[in-house]
Each structure stands twice: as structure tokens, then as C-alpha cells.
Amino acid sequence: MAKQNLIRLFSALLTAFVLALPMAAMAQDPASAPDPAAAPGALTAFTVTTNADGSQDYSVTLQILAIMTSLSFIPGILMLMTSFTRIVVVLSILRQATGLQQTPSNQIIIALALFMTLFVMRPVIDQVYTAAVEPYMEESMNFQDAIATARVPIEEFMLAQTRVNDLEAFMNIANIEPIPAGERVPLTVLIPAFVTSELKTAFQIGFMLFIPFLIIDLVVASVLMAMGMMMLSPMIVSLPFKLMLFVLVDGWNLVLGTLANSFGL
């Protein structure tokens, strides 16, 4: 009950904040106040202004609506347009290779993958903030130009991590002609090609992680079979040896360092 009340309170505050922004803008700029002679029933808060050069500027309310709507796409953007996919898959395969089903827990793996994603994507985030966010906040760039500018570093990162054959495969599926140098690849083609390349790279790294643990399982199983202990599970005996090996070689440092280096850091 308390949780529901907190959610309702947060929703009410958020609604009041969104509705108060246009009023505050009109208070600071009297010229933006609605014209009394405007047509009755006109929604002056939802307006689109056409500039002399043909571009369009959207009202603050429409920009806020677009930003709030885009928040629902953040999980998809995080998983499909950043390094998160490769990192979380490799960490999940590592947990399976060690034989630990619930340790580390899913929450720890996801949290570690999130912070590793921030570490890997830091240069891209800095470029987006410098080239798009700061000019937009200083009102030296409109919303459309800021979005177009912010796309460039992200697309460059994705193209750098995408295999050519994966990109060509999805271009053939979409019946798109080869794109000349200097032109943008459509996101409808770039995103699936990027995700496919990330999954392939993650499985390659996971395969290399599996080999030493698999050798330990084979050796322990052979020794137990030779001793006639067929009723004893090899997983129980090999688990301490795999953990000891992983700790002695400083496994977490090696895995996370390899993941970072795989992105060219």
C-alpha cells in the first residue's frame, strides 16, 4: 500500500512538473504567451514553428513529450546499441563454465555489466555530451540538430564493432544497394548487424573461457572413474579446483580486461 502511494505521489509530481514548464517559459518570455485573439480551443502549448530556412522548431511541451517517450526505449538502446550485450553474455557463460548456477547472482552480473558498459562507452558518451547535449542546453542548437549530431558517435562505435559480412548479410536481406563511402548506414540494418556481431564475439570469448574448466572436469571425471567412484558427481569434486584455478590466475581481472580490450580500449 505504501509503495502504491509513493508511485501515485511520484506520478502526480511528475505531471505537475511537466505542466508547469510551459507556464514558467511564458513567465520568463512574455512574447511566448498565448495570443488572446487565437482561435478558441487552439492548443498553443503544442505548436510547431516553421523557420525561414524551412526547418521547424517544436514547442517545449512537444520536446518534453518526445523526451519522456524516449525513456521507454532506454532498455532497448542499452542492450542493442552499446557494449552491454557482449559483456553480459560473456559473464553469464563464465558463470556456467565455473559450475556455479546462482553465484554471482543475476543482479550482480547485470550491475557489473552496466558499469563495464559505462567504462567502455565513456569516450562515446563524452563526444555526445560535448557535441550535442551542451549546445542544446545552451540553446545554440535546436532539438533536431542535437539528435542528428548525437547519432554520429554512436553509429561510428557500432560500425567499428560490426563485421562486414554481418552488415552485408542484412543489407542483402533488406534489398539495399551498397552504400557509398561517407553515407550513413540505416539504423534498421546497422542495429541487427551490430547485435549479431556482438553475440558472435561474445560466444567466441565464452568458448575460450570454457576450455580450461572443461579440461578440469574431464580430468576429475577420469580420476573418479578409475577409482570406481561412479556414484560421486564429478561436478562436486571439480568445483573447488575450478574456483581455485580461477582465483590463482586472477580470473576476474583477466576477463574484464579482455572484454575492455576487445572494444579497442
Side-chain angles (χ1 to χ4, degrees), residues 174-198:
N175 294 324
I176 298 178
E177 297 296 330
I179 300 175
E183 293 189 8
R184 287 182 176 177
V185 179
L187 286 178
T188 54
V189 174
L190 180 58
I191 292 177
F194 171 74
V195 174
T196 303
S197 297
E198 288 294 282

Side-chain angles (χ1 to χ4, degrees), residues 124-163:
V124 179
I125 295 174
D126 292 341
Q127 293 179 24
V128 172
Y129 183 81
T130 303
V133 177
E134 277 189 346
Y136 176 71
M137 295 177 63
E138 295 173 356
E139 299 183 356
S140 60
M141 180 182 294
N142 58 31
F143 184 71
Q144 294 82 2
D145 293 339
I147 294 296
T149 305
R151 285 180 53 183
V152 176
I154 299 176
E155 290 179 353
E156 290 178 351
F157 170 80
M158 296 172 65
L159 280 173
Q161 304 300 326
T162 303
R163 291 179 171 84

Side-chain angles (χ1 to χ4, degrees), residues 73-180:
F73 295 97
I74 288 180
I77 294 174
L78 176 64
M79 290 185 292
L80 302 182
M81 299 178 66
T82 65
S83 59
F84 179 82
T85 300
R86 182 189 304 185
I87 296 172
V88 75
V89 170
V90 170
L91 293 179
S92 299
I93 293 177
L94 175 63
R95 183 175 64 179
Q96 294 292 327
T98 56
L100 300 172
Q101 300 300 322
Q102 300 296 332
T103 305
S105 63
N106 292 332
Q107 291 84 352
I108 294 178
I109 288 180
I110 293 175
L112 181 58
L114 283 173
F115 281 99
M116 279 296 298
T117 301
L118 290 175
F119 176 77
V120 172
M121 299 295 295
R122 180 174 54 84
V124 179
I125 295 174
D126 292 341
Q127 293 179 24
V128 172
Y129 183 81
T130 303
V133 177
E134 277 189 346
Y136 176 71
M137 295 177 63
E138 295 173 356
E139 299 183 356
S140 60
M141 180 182 294
N142 58 31
F143 184 71
Q144 294 82 2
D145 293 339
I147 294 296
T149 305
R151 285 180 53 183
V152 176
I154 299 176
E155 290 179 353
E156 290 178 351
F157 170 80
M158 296 172 65
L159 280 173
Q161 304 300 326
T162 303
R163 291 179 171 84
V164 177
N165 56 347
D166 293 331
L167 188 60
E168 292 178 349
F170 281 96
M171 291 180 65
N172 293 331
I173 295 173
N175 294 324
I176 298 178
E177 297 296 330
I179 300 175

